[in-house]
Amino acid sequence: ELGPYADYLVINVSSPNTPGLRSLQKRQPLQNLLSSTLRARDRYAADTPLFVKLSPDLSLEEMSDVAQVALETGIDGMIVSNTTNARPSGLLSKYKVESGGLSGAPIKDVSTECIRTMYRLTDGAIPIIGVGGVGSGKDALEKLKAGACLIQVYSMMVYEGPGVVSRIREELVDLLVEGGFESVEDAVGVDCEDIYWKRKEERVRKRMDEKIKMSEVKEIVDM
């Protein structure tokens, strides 16, 4: 019932700190959960987008199942990814053996690859919020190129505070200009070339159709 007050709602089925929760990412449990939650959303907060947050520890087969369920249910988007249970060999902290979700720089590449995989599996049809190890404009651009259309930051907020958002945004703008991108949207999915050009053609066609409609309206008004 709080849905109408939110910018978007998230079903978190990927917290590594809740025993058994990640089993909800399996095909049939996820299908049931998303379908019932979408019905509740439509009843209480029909205009609020609903996202599902995924683990970076899924196998390719599991990601394929999740992608298919997301497409079938019509979920509004995915957040890729949550923290990981894995412990990369390069960790230096004395706390590296502790259990729980690992976030920040150590999961940057893993989460980016998960974004790239989910973008391919969904043919770029479902919006992805990219998250995991974003600490610079370069990190953000990597996730956009992999297929994310929005970026989320959490660990760096702890280390640097809210000002990190402005810094990342300014760095990203410079990199987009250097790369010849006209907008953030223009960079989304560029790593997946076949999907990228198909989606870009669709955007161009949509803009042309909108311009034609606007000119027709103007002609009618002028008559």
Side-chain angles (χ1 to χ4, degrees):
E1 294 182 13
L2 294 175
Y5 304 101
D7 292 321
Y8 63 92
L9 300 169
V10 182
I11 306 172
N12 184 0
V13 291
S14 54
S15 170
N17 305 313
T18 307
L21 181 67
R22 288 191 168 187
S23 64
L24 291 175
Q25 293 173 110
K26 296 185 182 300
R27 185 183 181 90
Q28 196 56 55
L30 186 62
Q31 179 94 40
N32 295 339
L33 177 62
L34 294 190
S35 297
S36 59
T37 308
L38 281 166
R39 287 195 296 271
R41 188 281 308 272
D42 291 344
R43 179 179 177 184
Y44 293 106
D47 296 327
T48 306
L50 182 64
F51 287 70
V52 61
K53 189 171 187 177
L54 305 176
S55 163
D57 302 324
L58 296 173
S59 67
L60 180 59
E61 181 180 358
E62 289 171 327
M63 282 193 282
S64 181
D65 284 344
V66 169
Q68 192 60 42
V69 169
L71 290 167
E72 289 174 358
T73 57
I75 194 80
D76 295 303
M78 298 180 288
I79 299 179
V80 184
S81 66
N82 208 323
T83 55
T84 179
N85 279 322
R87 293 295 182 268
S89 59
L91 293 179
L92 302 177
S93 173
K94 64 181 180 180
Y95 303 111
K96 63 184 180 182
V97 296
E98 292 186 352
S99 60
L102 177 67
S103 66
I107 71 166
K108 177 173 73 72
D109 293 339
V110 173
S111 68
T112 301
E113 187 55 40
C114 286
I115 292 167
R116 190 176 290 113
T117 299
M118 293 306 296
Y119 186 77
R120 288 196 182 105
L121 289 171
T122 58
D123 199 33
I126 298 180
I128 295 174
I129 297 178
V131 56
V134 177
S136 67
K138 179 177 179 293
D139 299 336
L141 182 58
E142 287 176 357
K143 282 181 166 45
L144 291 172
K145 287 182 174 180
C149 59
L150 294 166
I151 302 296
Q152 191 179 91
V153 179
Y154 54 94
S155 292
M156 282 303 292
M157 290 281 285
V158 176
Y159 296 120
E160 197 169 324
V164 69
V165 175
S166 294
R167 177 178 63 75
I168 291 174
R169 183 178 56 196
E170 290 169 3
E171 292 174 359
L172 177 59
V173 169
D174 289 341
L175 290 170
L176 288 170
V177 172
E178 289 175 12
F181 298 107
E182 296 180 357
S183 65
V184 168
E185 185 181 45
D186 202 33
V188 174
V190 73
D191 287 351
C192 308
E193 193 170 341
D194 53 338
I195 301 174
Y196 173 77
W197 288 109
K198 181 173 70 174
R199 293 295 173 189
K200 187 165 186 175
E201 182 181 350
E202 291 173 355
R203 292 197 300 270
V204 171
R205 187 180 299 114
K206 182 179 179 180
R207 288 171 188 161
M208 291 178 63
D209 290 343
E210 289 174 350
K211 286 182 179 179
I212 292 172
K213 289 179 181 178
M214 288 298 294
S215 64
E216 289 175 349
V217 170
K218 187 176 184 302
E219 288 178 3
I220 293 173
V221 172
D222 291 342
M223 288 177 63

